[in-house]
Amino acid sequence: MKSISELLFFQKPIVYLDSVPSTNDFIKQFVSEKSINFPIIIFSEFQTNGRGQRGKGWISNAGQNLLFSLYVPCSGCHIGDLPVISQEFYMAIADALNASLSEDLIRIKWPNDFIILDKKVGGVLIETAIQHDQIDGIYLGLGLNVHQIDFPEDLKDASSLERLFPSRKFCRVELMKNLMRNFENIIERLEFHTLKLNVERYNKFLYKFKEEVVLRMNGAKLVCKNLGVTESGAWLLEKIDTQERFEVHSSSEVEFIYNPDSMNDRN
Ligand code: BTN
């Protein structure tokens, strides 16, 4: 069994670090300084300034979880391709997790939180280098909680594979191998421009698909039916009280409330 530092991605060693402020920030600088034009992965055992969605932080104990960023050069991709490309990566992550669990337990909370049994075990931060309408490259940062048992008090919806399934054995190296194999597959298809939006498949992973969800939008609490993701990659919702349908296009527009009785919830 190899260690994480020995893993190969497209036959090249990944960059393995003990500690870094944020793997997403590091990879962007690394790619730019070294003019990298091939896919790479930068893994770190710890982050001192891990970044999450909506300007939040990402906190993770040293050496227990997976913290890494993937760079994918994307020349020739239009900005309109981003929903399909991102969805493919989210589903690849979900597939790798299900493979490690040997069960279909992973759900994706739109757009890119990874949920098992109503607990968040991972999240993705995708950043892009865009010029005009063209994507130059994608930086995908994944934080996945594997062995961490204790979480800060205010992260009451966070959990890890080991915390949820204490009697099972999880292996970070195996998880990384599964993830990287799935990423290589997508990147090869991306190069040949053969990716297609597969809304039906994404919606099978969607957390609380066709169920009631409670959201916060512009400070107000909304109770909606989750109608799933549309062909354009937007999230379609229907207000329970008025049956008015509306689309959400960016995770910054809504906040998911796991526990509707508490409006101080984290997502
Ligand atoms: C979220 O808010 O759910 C997204 C979390 C993304 C965290 C990962 S950890 C590796 C990479 N580096 C960062 O600074 N953030 C991402």
Side-chain angles (χ1 to χ4, degrees), residues 20-27 42 44 47 49-60 66-70 109 112-114 120 122-127 140-144 266-267:
V20 75
S22 152
T23 56
N24 264 40
D25 293 340
F26 188 95
I27 203 167
I42 295 189
S44 184
Q47 295 183 128
N49 189 28
R51 294 192 294 111
Q53 297 158 33
R54 287 184 293 278
K56 292 183 183 174
W58 185 261
I59 296 165
S60 172
L66 298 183
L67 299 170
F68 67 88
S69 296
L70 159 74
K109 182 167 77 58
N112 50 14
D113 283 347
F114 294 90
K120 176 164 171 172
V124 165
L125 180 67
I126 288 195
E127 297 176 296
L140 180 150
L142 175 66
L144 190 63
R266 172 195 188 265
N267 76 338

Side-chain angles (χ1 to χ4, degrees), residues 54-210:
R54 287 184 293 278
K56 292 183 183 174
W58 185 261
I59 296 165
S60 172
N61 286 357
Q64 298 186 339
N65 301 316
L66 298 183
L67 299 170
F68 67 88
S69 296
L70 159 74
Y71 168 66
V72 187
C74 254
S75 56
C77 288
H78 187 262
I79 190 166
D81 298 329
L82 197 54
V84 54
I85 299 171
S86 335
Q87 278 188 13
E88 283 291 334
F89 280 109
Y90 306 150
M91 290 191 286
I93 295 166
D95 281 335
L97 278 163
N98 275 339
S100 293
L101 290 161
S102 313
E103 263 183 275
D104 173 24
L105 284 174
I106 270 286
R107 292 292 169 265
I108 304 175
K109 182 167 77 58
W110 188 89
N112 50 14
D113 283 347
F114 294 90
I115 308 287
I116 303 177
L117 305 175
D118 295 316
K119 294 287 180 192
K120 176 164 171 172
V121 295
V124 165
L125 180 67
I126 288 195
E127 297 176 296
T128 43
I130 294 175
Q131 281 196 42
H132 309 295
D133 282 351
Q134 299 294 311
I135 307 173
D136 280 347
I138 292 176
Y139 305 94
L140 180 150
L142 175 66
L144 190 63
N145 299 328
V146 183
H147 296 302
Q148 184 165 338
I149 300 298
D150 299 314
F151 290 87
E153 186 59 31
D154 57 327
L155 301 186
K156 54 185 177 306
D157 298 306
S159 195
S160 70
L161 299 180
E162 189 170 319
R163 183 170 160 153
L164 287 168
F165 304 101
S167 59
R168 297 193 197 179
K169 288 269 164 280
F170 295 101
C171 170
R172 293 191 310 156
V173 177
E174 278 312 311
L175 258 167
M176 273 307 279
K177 280 189 188 167
N178 286 343
L179 286 163
M180 294 196 311
R181 192 181 314 117
N182 292 357
F183 292 161
E184 286 177 350
N185 183 286
I186 295 174
I187 293 165
E188 270 160 10
R189 286 189 291 136
L190 190 65
E191 282 167 3
F192 294 102
H193 299 278
T194 53
L195 292 181
K196 280 205 182 71
L197 201 64
N198 191 339
V199 165
E200 217 172 291
R201 187 161 129 75
Y202 181 88
N203 282 336
K204 281 200 184 121
F205 283 116
L206 191 65
Y207 182 56
K208 294 201 180 287
F209 181 42
K210 295 189 177 160

